[in-house]
Amino acid sequence: MIIGVGIDVAEIERFGAALERTPQLAERLFVAAELTLPSGERRGTASLAARFAAKEALAKALGAPGGLLWSDAEIWVEESGQPRLRVRGTVAARAAELGVRGWHVSLSHDAGVASAVVIAEG
């Protein structure tokens, strides 16, 4: 059963400018593993913007309650390239309240825009 669906978009250039203006922003929005590629290189702005959009979409799928921490949601990628969502803390608590048992995540970026869809399944 679908409990919630969220979608969000982020303008990549604008998101990159925000990261440049506020260097600590990346560390507030993402866990360390999200900031780097498996090779150890820093993840690109388009990829980070897509992950930010996924966190916004996640909040919408959970009914957009206050008090969710960005660092309590992590987007990671399987070897196949499929994105996955790992939750803990405030996000896991809200998901448990709603009866969420699984997540579906889709990320994309093209033509200067990053987008994400998150489906919460019970």
Side-chain angles (χ1 to χ4, degrees), residues 6-83:
I7 185 169
D8 197 70
V9 298
E11 185 181 347
I12 296 168
E13 187 176 322
R14 182 175 174 215
F15 184 76
L19 291 176
E20 285 182 27
R21 256 192 332 274
T22 312
Q24 315 88 331
L25 182 59
E27 284 70 33
R28 285 198 319 251
L29 296 175
F30 305 107
V31 299
E34 291 176 299
L35 295 171
T36 57
L37 296 167
S39 66
E41 292 178 68
R42 179 139 174 118
R43 192 173 295 281
T45 304
S47 180
L48 290 175
R51 280 158 176 71
F52 176 71
K55 292 181 184 209
E56 287 278 351
L58 167 63
K60 292 172 183 176
L62 293 176
L68 298 180
L69 299 176
W70 297 113
S71 57
D72 284 346
E74 177 184 352
I75 306 299
W76 60 281
V77 179
E78 292 184 344
E79 279 187 34
S80 66
Q82 184 174 5

